[in-house]
Amino acid sequence: MRGLDGRVAVVTGGASGIGRAVAERLSQEGSKVVVVDRHGDAAEQVVAGLEGEGLAVEADVSKVEDVDGYTDAARERFGRVDLHHLNAGISGSFAPMGIRAALADFTADPRPGAIVTTASLAGVQGGGVASPYVAAKHGVIGLTKSAAMNGARLGVRVNTIAPGVIATPLLSFLEEGSTGEGPDMRAFLENLVPLGRLGESSEVASLVAFLLSDEASYLTGNMILIDGGIFVDNHTLRLEPPS
């Protein structure tokens, strides 16, 4: 994709799942990738497997000093950061993703760039469980839109993705709960998806790579669903009950 070769990209939560897939895709596109994760050893393993140059940084994005630290490490190694995928998060509570640090860096050293945050389908719907997670993901979308307004004058585009049910380690609890004695949770979730399957991290990575590339040069402030059609399926209007 245009505009990724030779660029420097930071991917938080980059040691597994969507973050790892994004790091690998950006490296394939020619970007130099800074893989940030709380699990430093896992981040090192990802970097070791990248096609191009990379840097692993152990950091907790819920700590301001760690966010500033990985930004400084990236600049020290590569001189600048052009692209950010602010992806770090867990299933449950939620930690700030560093939009402040990314925009501050672009402000201090003006240049075009792009930022993609990871929200969730939970950011556009409600639910009776995981209320803190739902509220936080709604907040990610709002923060992204505000950041897009602040970034526009700097030539920095800011968008967010809202994944549905993606097959990542964060869903391992579903497999652990399927012992054969209770309901098959994976099958239950797959039945909710019009496309009939869970999403793959590589599919999300393709969307992130597009949004970070120059191919998306007129896109900013957008929330893009990648959910296999769950959001548009009104279950109350189905002609047939789910099997």
Side-chain angles (χ1 to χ4, degrees), residues 203-218:
E203 294 174 305
V204 182
S206 293
L207 174 59
V208 174
F210 167 72
L211 290 173
L212 291 175
S213 78
D214 289 350
E215 306 286 355
S217 57
Y218 204 55

Side-chain angles (χ1 to χ4, degrees), residues 12-73:
T12 66
S16 65
I18 292 172
R20 177 172 187 157
V22 169
E24 292 170 347
R25 177 59 185 270
L26 292 176
S27 183
Q28 292 169 3
E29 295 284 351
S31 297
K32 302 172 184 178
V33 185
V34 181
V35 179
V36 179
D37 203 279
R38 290 187 304 167
H39 305 290
D41 291 344
E44 292 279 3
Q45 292 176 4
V46 173
V47 168
L50 295 179
E51 292 187 10
E53 193 172 358
L55 171 69
V57 181
E58 182 174 338
D60 182 344
V61 300
S62 69
K63 299 177 180 178
V64 172
E65 60 270 23
D66 280 20
V67 173
D68 292 340
Y70 77 65
T71 302
D72 291 343

Side-chain angles (χ1 to χ4, degrees), residues 35-178:
V35 179
V36 179
D37 203 279
R38 290 187 304 167
H39 305 290
D41 291 344
E44 292 279 3
Q45 292 176 4
V46 173
V47 168
L50 295 179
E51 292 187 10
E53 193 172 358
L55 171 69
V57 181
E58 182 174 338
D60 182 344
V61 300
S62 69
K63 299 177 180 178
V64 172
E65 60 270 23
D66 280 20
V67 173
D68 292 340
Y70 77 65
T71 302
D72 291 343
R75 289 176 63 86
E76 181 177 350
R77 174 68 175 272
F78 297 117
R80 69 187 193 283
V81 179
D82 306 302
L83 311 170
H84 293 260
H85 182 207
L86 304 178
N87 170 70
I90 60 175
S91 59
S93 60
F94 177 81
M97 298 186 304
I99 296 179
R100 172 199 61 80
L103 284 181
D105 184 47
F106 284 120
T107 301
D109 182 14
R111 64 201 185 281
I115 299 170
V116 174
T117 64
T118 300
S120 168
L121 188 61
V124 293
Q125 293 179 325
V129 296
S131 297
Y133 182 79
V134 171
K137 290 301 188 180
H138 274 72
V140 171
I141 294 172
L143 284 172
T144 299
K145 291 180 178 181
S146 295
M149 295 301 296
N150 289 300
R153 61 184 176 83
L154 303 171
V156 177
R157 298 181 297 102
V158 190
N159 293 287
T160 190
I161 61 169
V165 188
I166 309 298
T168 73
L170 287 180
L171 290 182
S172 60
F173 72 94
L174 294 177
E175 302 299 329
E176 295 168 2
S178 298

